[in-house]
């Protein structure tokens, strides 16, 4: 086994892990604060990818077309997230878990078909700008240069979220809400507004992730289905509501996937589910979560 | 007593129906029966035990594959295949359920989902044994059951027998223990009931009936594919149960009738079936919690409370039938 192959595989696992982190962090945040497991998270991520394609298609003449479209797509998704929150999610705050789960599952079907109606069934491909189209060489090992973009975006979002949660007043409120919503609302903080903010933030990150994903390969219908289950696995492994846990969990899943492709290709996904099941059984609250809420 | 009349009427209708409809609708009826049994088995976990399983298709798929493999590779007679499917699905539910019943709520849902996907990927990747994503073709039922009507009556007998079995279980002390666990786990534990063992037994029974439903699917469809185990397939009984009403014994069956008829009807002129069912589910969740039967019961109760009350016991308690209690 060649060392350069291992390093290349490690980098590809890292970029995959970072993509999973971008999806799972929003998922984990929304679940941690609102106690709603958003099945439609990856479907909205896919909407982000398609939006990015459309913006890029309009702007492709300009030099910064792709980068501007990524930003626009993320903002568009934040707006969509806000609309969904106000119209649908707000109505099921105090419903039972199965009903909330079903509502977001129904959203998967609805949004999935709306994507089909809007963008059609054929695959969409974004032609990358020169800056990220060729390979770059790390210790003479050729790597896809776009991997670096994905990893950088992942790291910046991780740092940004960490700063937000640790250093700002709103971040403190969100962290407090993860532990006890009753206490936060007793302090006179309007919980519904916090919920809306968290949901919009989560969908914004998902949209950003989708837009960043768009130039990686072709954008295909149904891409969201495989990724949402893996994002669940990440959140379970890391622990609901824990940012560090989500980061570690996504790197674990990304690397397990990348290396099992190398050594045991049939078992790549099986292995991820086994790891998830073991963690759920031994430590249901995940590696970094706290066993507070039952 | 009044319910008995209803049941008899429904029974006569389902006996006559295939004789007056075309072959296409007979196929839809068979699908309703099979998926209805699948949904009823799911509701043993959801309705009685109060836990949402998102990987119930695993046992359905395992049952389908057990029958499919035995028939294609071993030419084993169908009745033995059905029995084998129930045993294999039950064993599967025993092994995986052992872990699942340790968790509740969202963790239960995700673990069942993860196990379901695990089974799916095993079947998907194990080319030499299961045929991978090519699935299994040529699952031909025995000669007597080759016509659509014959297979319909065969399915009807098995599904009705299975539903009666589920009904008996739900009305047994065991069934009431499950309701107690759903309503108040802590208190039930204090009475001295081994919660996990009861939940596991229930999980296994649900898996056995899901396996039976899956076993009926293969010979009906003449082929099976690993898609039968995905989480989309697991979503179908959830949808049916929610549409029909989880707190009524007939809820899953009613849901299956509505869901399957609608699907057969809607897919006739549009490919956007997911959009349609998604909107329906959204409306049910937002405006009609308790499903169609829940709504009916509420209306009947309102209607009765307006009428002069001759028999108060009958009006308050008599109507709450099935799982809800």
């Amino acid at each position: 086994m060649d060392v350069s192959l291992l390093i290349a595989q490690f980098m590809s696992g890292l970029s995959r892990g970072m993509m999973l982190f971008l999806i799972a962090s929003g998922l984990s945040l929304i679940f941690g604060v609102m106690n709603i497991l958003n099945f439609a998270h990856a479907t909205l991520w896919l909407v982000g990818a398609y939006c990015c394609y459309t913006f890029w298609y309009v702007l492709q003449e300009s030099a910064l077309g792709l980068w501007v479209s990524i930003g626009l797509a993320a903002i568009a998704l934040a707006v969509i997230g806000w609309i969904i929150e106000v119209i649908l999610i707000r109505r099921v705050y105090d419903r039972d878990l199965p009903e909330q789960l079903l509502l977001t599952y129904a959203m998967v079907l609805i949004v999935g078909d709306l994507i089909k109606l809007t963008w059609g069934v054929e695959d969409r491909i974004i032609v990358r700008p020169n800056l990220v189209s060729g390979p770059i060489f790390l210790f003479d090992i050729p790597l896809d240069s776009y991997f670096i973009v994905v990893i950088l975006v992942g790291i910046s979002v991780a740092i940004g979220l960490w700063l937000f949660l640790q250093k700002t007043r709103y971040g403190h409120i969100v962290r407090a809400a993860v532990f006890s919503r009753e206490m936060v609302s007793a302090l006179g903080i309007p919980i519904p507004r916090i919920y809306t903010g968290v949901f919009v933030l989560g969908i914004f990150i998902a949209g950003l992730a989708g837009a960043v994903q768009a130039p990686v390969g072709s954008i295909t219908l149904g891409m969201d289905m495989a990724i949402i289950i893996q994002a669940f696995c990440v959140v379970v492994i890391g622990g609901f509501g824990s940012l560090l846990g989500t980061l570690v969990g996504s790197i674990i899943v990304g690397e397990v996937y990348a290396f099992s492709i190398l050594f045991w290709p049939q078992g790549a996904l099986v292995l991820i589910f086994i790891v998830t099941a073991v963690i759920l059984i031994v430590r249901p609250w995940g590696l970094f979560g706290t066993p507070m809420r039952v | 007593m009044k319910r008995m009349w209803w049941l008899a009427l429904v029974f006569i209708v389902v006996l006559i129906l295939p004789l007056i409809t075309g072959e296409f609708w007979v196929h839809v009826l068979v699908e309703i029966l099979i998926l209805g049994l699948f949904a009823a088995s799911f509701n043993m976990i959801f309705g009685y035990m109060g836990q949402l399983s998102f990987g119930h298709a695993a046992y359905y798929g395992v049952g389908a594959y057990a029958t499919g493999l035995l028939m294609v590779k071993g030419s084993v007679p169908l009745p033995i295949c059905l029995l084998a499917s129930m045993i294999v699905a039950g064993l599967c539910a025993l092994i995986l359920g052992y872990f699942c019943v340790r968790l509740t709520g969202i963790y239960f849902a995700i673990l069942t989902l993860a196990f379901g996907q695990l089974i799916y990927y095993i079947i998907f990747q194990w080319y030499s044994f299961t045929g991978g994503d090519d699935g299994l073709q040529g699952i031909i039922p025995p000669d007597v059951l080759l016509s659509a009507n014959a297979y319909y009556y065969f399915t009807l007998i098995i599904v009705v027998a299975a539903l009666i079995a589920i009904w008996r279980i739900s009305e047994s002390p065991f069934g009431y223990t499950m309701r107690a666990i759903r309503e108040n786990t802590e208190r039930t534990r204090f009475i001295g009931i081994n919660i996990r063992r009861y939940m596991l037994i229930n999980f296994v029974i649900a898996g056995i009936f899901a396996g039976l439903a899956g076993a009926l699917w293969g010979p009906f469809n003449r082929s099976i594919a690993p898609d039968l185990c995905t989480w989309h397939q697991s979503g179908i009984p959830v949808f049916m149960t929610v549409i029909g009403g989880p707190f009524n014994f007939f809820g899953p069956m009613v849901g299956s009738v509505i869901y399957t008829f609608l699907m057969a009807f809607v897919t006739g002129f549009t490919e956007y079936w997911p959009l349609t069912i998604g909107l329906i589910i959204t409306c049910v969740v937002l405006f009609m919690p308790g499903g169609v039967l829940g709504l009916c019961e509420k209306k009947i109760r309102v209607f009765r409370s307006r009428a002069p009350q001759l028999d108060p016991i009958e009006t308050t308690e008599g109507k709450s039938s099935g799982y809800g209690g």
Side-chain angles (χ1 to χ4, degrees):
Chain A
M1 191 60 64
D2 200 356
V3 180
S4 67
L5 185 63
L6 287 181
I7 292 178
Q9 208 60 23
F10 175 79
M11 290 303 280
S12 119
L14 196 60
S15 97
R16 193 186 171 83
M18 279 303 160
M19 183 47 68
L20 277 172
F21 169 75
L22 287 171
I23 300 167
S25 57
L27 198 65
S28 170
L29 197 66
I30 292 173
F31 184 80
V33 176
M34 305 168 72
N35 231 353
I36 289 176
L37 190 61
N38 185 15
F39 254 114
H41 211 74
T43 313
L44 293 168
W45 164 81
L46 188 58
V47 175
Y50 274 105
C51 281
C52 179
Y53 169 80
T54 303
F55 290 127
W56 169 81
Y57 193 78
V58 176
L59 297 172
Q60 55 184 325
E61 303 303 322
S62 69
L64 290 173
L66 178 62
W67 314 114
V68 174
S69 346
I70 289 179
L72 286 176
I75 293 167
L77 261 288
V79 174
I80 294 174
W82 181 75
I83 295 170
I84 290 176
E85 211 283 336
V86 170
I87 294 180
L88 292 175
I89 307 289
R90 191 166 285 185
R91 292 167 192 269
V92 293
Y93 280 166
D94 32 66
R95 293 286 191 81
D96 289 340
L97 179 107
E99 290 176 342
Q100 296 172 338
L101 219 60
L102 264 169
L103 187 73
T104 61
Y105 188 98
M107 264 159 57
V108 172
L109 301 176
I110 295 172
V111 175
D113 260 4
L114 289 180
I115 292 176
K116 203 161 138 192
L117 274 169
T118 318
W119 283 282
V121 288
E122 63 262 43
D123 295 357
R124 304 288 174 169
I125 295 169
I126 290 181
V127 181
R128 296 183 197 170
N130 289 333
L131 181 66
V132 288
S133 60
I136 61 160
F137 292 90
L138 190 74
F139 309 116
D140 288 338
I141 302 158
L143 294 171
D144 186 340
S145 54
Y146 197 77
F147 280 0
I148 309 295
V149 175
V150 176
I151 293 169
L152 282 180
V153 172
I155 291 173
S156 346
V157 168
I159 294 172
L161 266 179
W162 183 81
L163 285 176
F164 166 72
L165 290 173
Q166 300 292 330
K167 303 287 177 195
T168 66
R169 188 181 126 77
Y170 283 106
H172 290 176
I173 294 173
V174 168
R175 277 200 302 149
V178 172
F179 281 93
S180 171
R181 270 172 292 177
E182 290 74 18
M183 207 57 219
V184 171
S185 97
L187 291 171
I189 292 159
I191 284 287
R193 209 177 297 164
I194 299 296
Y195 277 10
T196 310
V198 164
F199 193 82
V200 170
L201 179 64
I203 302 302
F204 171 79
I205 300 173
L208 179 68
V212 169
Q213 169 75 32
V216 170
S218 54
I219 311 164
T220 320
L221 282 176
M223 255 162 84
D224 51 331
M225 295 305 177
I227 210 95
I228 186 66
I229 305 289
Q230 287 179 37
F232 281 171
C233 292
V234 165
V235 174
V236 164
I237 291 172
F240 284 104
S242 157
L243 185 65
L244 178 65
T246 310
L247 186 63
V248 174
S250 33
I251 292 171
I252 292 177
V253 171
E255 294 299 348
V256 164
Y257 187 84
F259 280 99
S260 48
I261 286 269
L262 213 54
F263 298 110
W264 185 36
Q266 298 89 359
L269 288 162
V270 174
L271 211 57
I272 291 171
F273 290 115
I274 292 176
V275 171
T276 309
V278 168
I279 291 209
L280 263 177
I281 294 156
V282 182
R283 263 178 87 90
W285 53 91
L287 293 177
F288 293 89
T290 35
M292 286 203 62
R293 257 191 224 152
V294 184
Chain B
M1 205 54 227
K2 203 175 167 193
R3 210 157 78 231
M4 281 308 179
W5 281 108
W6 272 108
L7 274 180
L9 191 70
V10 169
F11 197 67
I12 292 167
V13 169
V14 294
L15 276 184
I16 298 173
L17 217 51
L19 302 177
I20 50 177
T21 56
E23 194 172 323
F24 173 76
W25 291 105
V26 177
H27 283 298
V28 173
L29 288 173
V30 175
E31 216 173 314
I32 287 176
L33 288 172
I34 295 175
L35 291 178
L37 175 59
F38 181 31
S41 78
F42 160 80
N43 202 33
M44 293 185 73
I45 298 174
F46 184 59
Y48 289 78
M49 203 163 88
Q51 299 297 332
L52 177 61
S53 162
F54 235 98
H56 206 54
Y59 314 106
Y60 181 75
V62 164
Y65 266 89
T67 290
L69 286 168
L70 283 174
M71 283 180 77
V72 170
K73 300 202 172 172
S75 311
V76 178
L78 186 58
I80 298 176
C81 288
L82 296 186
L83 212 62
S85 282
M86 292 170 79
I87 293 169
V88 174
L91 279 177
C92 229
L94 181 67
I95 298 167
L96 300 181
Y98 176 80
F99 300 107
C100 293
V101 298
R102 269 142 216 280
L103 307 172
T104 53
I106 193 80
Y107 297 112
F108 183 91
I110 297 182
L111 187 60
T112 49
L113 176 64
F115 277 144
Q117 288 301 100
L118 190 65
I119 299 244
Y120 164 69
Y121 280 111
I122 290 172
I123 290 179
F124 188 80
Q125 300 281 11
W126 198 355
Y127 246 91
S128 53
F129 187 58
T130 61
D133 55 352
D134 294 338
L136 283 175
Q137 278 81 35
I139 307 168
I140 310 293
D143 292 340
V144 265
L145 300 177
L146 267 180
S147 78
N149 279 5
Y151 200 79
Y152 170 78
Y153 288 115
F154 173 71
T155 310
L156 184 67
I157 292 168
I158 292 191
V159 169
V160 168
L163 285 180
I164 291 172
I166 294 177
W167 167 255
R168 292 297 295 266
I169 294 168
S170 82
E171 291 302 305
S172 69
F174 176 80
Y176 278 91
T177 312
M178 291 321 298
R179 290 184 185 83
I181 291 174
R182 180 193 68 203
E183 292 302 325
N184 196 332
T185 314
E186 201 80 338
R187 198 176 276 185
T188 318
R189 190 178 286 126
F190 287 160
I191 305 171
I193 283 166
N194 186 337
I195 305 279
R196 277 184 189 165
R197 190 195 295 160
Y198 268 80
M199 282 170 77
L200 181 59
I201 294 171
N202 191 46
F203 197 90
V204 171
I205 297 172
I208 288 173
F209 285 113
L212 179 62
L216 289 168
W217 181 262
F220 162 64
N221 201 39
R222 306 289 200 265
S223 70
I224 46 178
D227 290 8
L228 289 177
C229 306
T230 54
W231 60 286
H232 300 281
Q233 188 79 19
S234 294
I236 292 176
V238 186
F239 285 174
M240 289 177 170
T241 308
V242 168
I243 293 174
F247 300 118
N248 190 305
F249 179 79
F250 297 102
M253 220 2 137
V254 171
S256 173
V257 172
I258 296 172
Y259 180 97
T260 316
F261 259 123
L262 236 119
M263 186 165 83
F265 183 65
V266 170
T267 46
F269 55 87
T270 170
E271 56 176 316
Y272 297 104
W273 162 246
L275 181 66
T276 318
I277 190 71
L279 289 174
I280 293 172
I281 290 291
T282 307
C283 291
V284 171
V285 168
L286 289 182
F287 307 114
M288 217 165 66
V292 172
L293 289 187
L295 193 75
C296 292
E297 274 183 20
K298 218 186 286 169
K299 287 273 182 256
I300 290 170
R301 222 171 280 156
V302 169
F303 176 72
R304 287 207 177 170
S305 62
R306 275 187 202 145
Q309 297 197 354
L310 296 173
D311 187 358
I313 298 163
E314 169 70 24
T315 47
T316 51
E317 281 301 312
K319 271 317 287 177
S320 55
S321 55
Y323 292 174

